[in-house]
Amino acid sequence: EIRELAPVQPHGVLSVRSDWAGDHPEACRALVRGLILASRQLHDDREAFRRAVRDHVHHVRVTDEDIDSLWQRERDARSFAVNGGFGGEHWQGALAMYESLHGTKPRFGDVSLVTVGEVLREIGLHRSHDPAPVASSL
């Protein structure tokens, strides 16, 4: 099923080097805040999601029905990062797979998780089902 979704499913990962994040904490907080607020808008407003897809997805043709179906599936799957991303419970399978393949646990800097926590304290948790990431769970 993921192969069918991949051409139209919005996804991505954003990262910065830890030295850059340490030198630019305000930029990191502004970026995280903007991404969380954008995720909340897309989660809460089907029409905003439609506009975003129409404005930014040009490599495939999608109908309003496709967009609505995708929006509902993303909501049902708790895929919008309305509280800064998935919590540790979501990532446990992927982290276990990494460890089995590489023989070691992945290392994470906690700059991003600290920044997410700071932003969430500022703007509050979203009422949806998407849990906030917790540094200790990674």
Side-chain angles (χ1 to χ4, degrees):
E1 182 178 89
I2 192 68
R3 288 183 183 179
E4 294 174 18
L5 287 176
V8 296
Q9 184 178 19
H11 58 278
V13 173
L14 178 67
S15 66
V16 298
R17 289 189 335 262
S18 58
D19 62 323
W20 188 90
D23 291 342
H24 302 89
E26 291 304 317
C28 289
R29 275 191 284 283
L31 182 59
V32 168
R33 185 177 195 278
L35 290 170
I36 291 172
L37 293 175
S39 291
R40 290 177 180 190
Q41 179 71 20
L42 295 172
H43 174 275
D44 294 345
D45 185 345
R46 182 187 310 243
E47 190 53 41
F49 186 82
R50 280 184 180 174
R51 282 191 308 271
V53 171
R54 285 189 205 110
D55 289 348
H56 300 287
V57 176
H58 304 288
H59 65 286
V60 294
R61 296 186 117 198
V62 291
T63 65
D64 282 346
E65 293 78 23
D66 292 332
I67 296 170
D68 290 349
S69 175
L70 179 59
W71 179 77
Q72 192 61 57
R73 280 186 283 186
E74 293 299 299
R75 283 178 54 101
D76 292 347
R78 303 174 183 179
S79 295
F80 289 100
V82 298
N83 285 324
F86 293 115
E89 183 178 328
H90 169 82
W91 292 110
Q92 290 308 310
L95 294 174
M97 175 66 77
Y98 181 96
E99 186 174 3
S100 72
L101 292 172
H102 300 281
T104 183
K105 292 183 178 187
R107 291 185 34 203
F108 295 97
D110 41 44
V111 173
S112 64
L113 293 173
V114 169
T115 302
V116 169
E118 292 169 358
V119 169
L120 291 175
R121 280 190 292 284
E122 175 191 336
I123 65 176
L125 290 173
H126 190 272
R127 68 188 178 284
S128 86
H129 44 254
D130 183 13
V134 177
S136 63
S137 66
L138 299 175

